[in-house]
Amino acid sequence: MTSRAAALAGRIKPAVSNQGVATAYAAGDGSGSCLYGPSDDLMIAAMNVTDYESAKACGAYVLVRAASGATVTVRIVNECPWPCAPGQLDLSRQAFAKLADLSVGRLPITWSLLSPDLPGRIAIRYKTGSTKWWCGIQVIGHRNPVAALEVRTAGGWRRLPRTDYNYFLSADGTGCGGALRISDIYGERLTVDGIAVRPDVVQPTGVQFARH
């Protein structure tokens, strides 16, 4: 990894095996604190609050392995609050069942970040209530975890703060409806334009991060 990529990665780093425990929860339609909405499938998980890192883990794909050799790939869509410990994954019951019987309760695991082969492209969604004077911007369908989102200003690119509910906020409206630059944890930057402020509408971009 380059020094820039290492800085962007945060707690969940590529090519690092993490140890922890898996538990299971009733995932319903797959909605969670990342605010993506219902999931197409329920191979999903909630990340412990420490590794969730104020939504930095949202959308990450991780390969989970049990001591038996059984594996499952899940996407992070939710946060598991304390007492979920660092390294812990709260899997949907459907995902946990791929590793062990639900009656096990707590299962020792290792897990690592994936950069999967995805058929789709990244999309952008503006938060409900967004206008040209205030907006929240969400990135959806990304192959790799998103590390930063910037908006273009007259003076250059401006990085927006990320909330723990997985939106990047422009409190004064700067850049709302303008060009966006999205960076993944590997340091790749994608620039998209022409995404109008249309609250709560998923708008495709036609771009996707590279595989690693």
Side-chain angles (χ1 to χ4, degrees), residues 6-206:
L8 289 170
R11 287 185 58 85
I12 302 177
K13 292 178 168 41
V16 173
S17 180
N18 302 274
Q19 292 188 327
V21 64
T23 48
Y25 77 106
D29 65 2
S31 298
S33 54
C34 293
L35 296 189
Y36 292 129
S39 294
D40 292 335
D41 69 66
L42 292 178
M43 292 300 106
I44 56 175
M47 181 65 74
N48 68 83
V49 63
T50 304
D51 294 323
Y52 183 77
E53 203 173 359
S54 295
K56 201 162 190 173
C58 283
Y61 288 86
V62 296
L63 176 66
V64 188
R65 184 182 300 274
S68 67
T71 63
V72 65
T73 297
V74 294
R75 182 170 65 108
I76 304 303
V77 301
N78 209 351
E79 178 183 20
C80 185
W82 183 260
C84 270
Q88 183 171 348
L89 289 175
D90 203 19
L91 306 178
S92 70
R93 289 174 178 170
Q94 293 86 343
F96 190 99
K98 300 283 187 182
L99 301 176
D101 192 274
L102 287 170
S103 62
V104 170
R106 294 175 64 85
L107 181 71
I109 56 166
T110 58
W111 56 270
S112 56
L113 186 67
L114 288 182
S115 180
D117 183 13
L118 292 183
R121 297 292 184 264
I122 287 172
I124 297 294
R125 177 164 54 197
Y126 278 93
K127 196 177 188 308
T128 301
S130 291
T131 67
K132 64 180 180 180
W133 295 285
W134 176 95
C135 67
I137 307 168
Q138 185 183 55
V139 185
I140 301 171
H142 42 92
R143 172 179 282 128
N144 306 320
V146 172
L149 185 143
E150 300 163 280
V151 293
R152 183 179 283 150
T153 72
W157 291 100
R158 173 179 162 188
R159 187 167 174 169
L160 297 184
R162 189 181 204 158
T163 68
D164 60 4
Y165 53 86
N166 197 34
Y167 275 85
F168 295 86
L169 293 188
S170 178
D172 61 2
T174 298
C176 296
L180 308 174
R181 189 164 71 177
I182 311 160
S183 299
D184 70 5
I185 65 169
Y186 297 93
E188 183 179 3
R189 289 172 171 153
L190 300 175
T191 302
V192 296
D193 208 345
I195 307 295
V197 180
R198 300 171 62 200
D200 209 29
V201 175
V202 176
Q203 302 185 63
T205 66

